[in-house]
Amino acid sequence: MARKRTTYDPFNAIAEPNRRALLEALAGNSLTVSALALALGWNQPKVSKHLQVLKEVDLVVERKEGRFRVYRVNAQAMKPVQEWVTQFQAFWAPRLDALGDYLNEVQTGEQTDDEP
Amino acid sequence: MARKRTTYDPFNAIAEPNRRALLEALAGNSLTVSALALALGWNQPKVSKHLQVLKEVDLVVERKEGRFRVYRVNAQAMKPVQEWVTQFQAFWAPRLDALGDYLNEVQTGEQTDDEP
DNA sequence: TAAATATATTCCTATATTGGAATATGTCAA
DNA sequence: TTGACATATTCCAATATAGGAATATATTTA
């Protein structure tokens, strides 16, 4: 059939490079749409649209201030991603890595230069 | 214009729920395509196709074993995601959160019931 | 009230995928 | 060699976006 909706969880929200840029720009700061547009060199609708997606998954929070909208990051919403990813951390501990890399090389047949 | 290619970095690879399921199934294990298909209740092409995407971003590693292909997770490739997400961890520390939530409520004008 | 400013939304187009079915490829076993 | 099995790939249809342009919706200020 077809693609499913992909945007409406934090995993998908941060999959878009522009949205990551937006979140990086907002890390620690609270910024208006136009400030973001200026900082990133995008047009305003582009900023607004990506912000809406981030807002839908709660990665950003909006506050009205006169005719401005001030956005800030809500890092809490990143937690599910962090937790999911961290599950795998057990498998990348330095020592295991070194061993794993070695085994992988051997298995993959990445022969060292001792072949004429 | 149009959408960019979205699949070829770990962020996008794990944005797809099916691919996360695949990685979860492979966490700690090494499994063949058919074993995965059985475990997840998918048809074989579906498994293979998602595995290819994961392989392209190096999230899984494949090993040939007779006519089987054994896949395993390469957690190293998850590191960029983990690091990127962790940037934001500073903003979700419990105390700050509690304060932030409170301020947010106040700012948003979430008035308590003291209004008739 | 009208003009200006800030932001959101709608419309439209181009393209990226996902998924299933069918098929190709590779490998083992008789 | 032939058949069976495991997996990858191709083909196709349905749909989800991203992006730009134009427009709508506040809200402030003159």
Side-chain angles (χ1 to χ4, degrees), chain A residues 13-98:
Chain A
I14 68 171
E16 227 285 328
N18 290 313
R19 286 194 286 266
R20 287 203 299 281
L22 220 32
L23 289 169
E24 286 166 20
L26 285 173
N29 311 311
S30 287
L31 295 174
T32 65
V33 175
S34 40
L36 284 165
L38 187 64
L40 297 166
W42 302 349
N43 56 38
Q44 173 264 313
K46 180 172 174 178
V47 175
S48 284
K49 279 188 274 187
H50 281 298
L51 281 174
Q52 296 321 302
V53 174
L54 292 173
K55 192 167 71 170
E56 263 192 273
V57 300
D58 227 46
L59 274 166
V60 299
V61 177
E62 166 207 70
R63 171 167 49 94
K64 291 180 85 162
E65 188 144 319
R67 51 187 154 172
F68 297 83
R69 309 270 181 115
V70 183
Y71 285 86
R72 70 171 176 79
V73 171
N74 173 32
Q76 281 291 330
M78 208 92 76
K79 228 170 185 172
V81 178
Q82 208 263 351
E83 284 166 0
W84 189 85
V85 169
T86 300
Q87 288 189 294
F88 295 90
Q89 211 167 18
F91 308 117
W92 80 53
R95 285 173 210 166
L96 291 177
D97 283 349

Side-chain angles (χ1 to χ4, degrees), chain B residues 1 6 9 15 20 24 26 28 37 40 42-43 45 47 57 63-64 73 76 83 91 107 109 116:
Chain B
M1 296 275 159
T6 64
D9 69 75
R20 287 204 298 282
E24 286 165 20
L26 284 173
L40 296 166
W42 303 348
N43 56 37
V47 176
V57 301
R63 171 166 48 94
K64 291 181 84 161
V73 171
Q76 280 292 329
E83 284 166 1
F91 308 115
Q107 284 174 342

Side-chain angles (χ1 to χ4, degrees), chain B residues 35-48:
Chain B
L36 285 164
L38 187 65
L40 296 166
W42 303 348
N43 56 37
Q44 172 265 312
K46 180 172 176 179
V47 176
S48 284

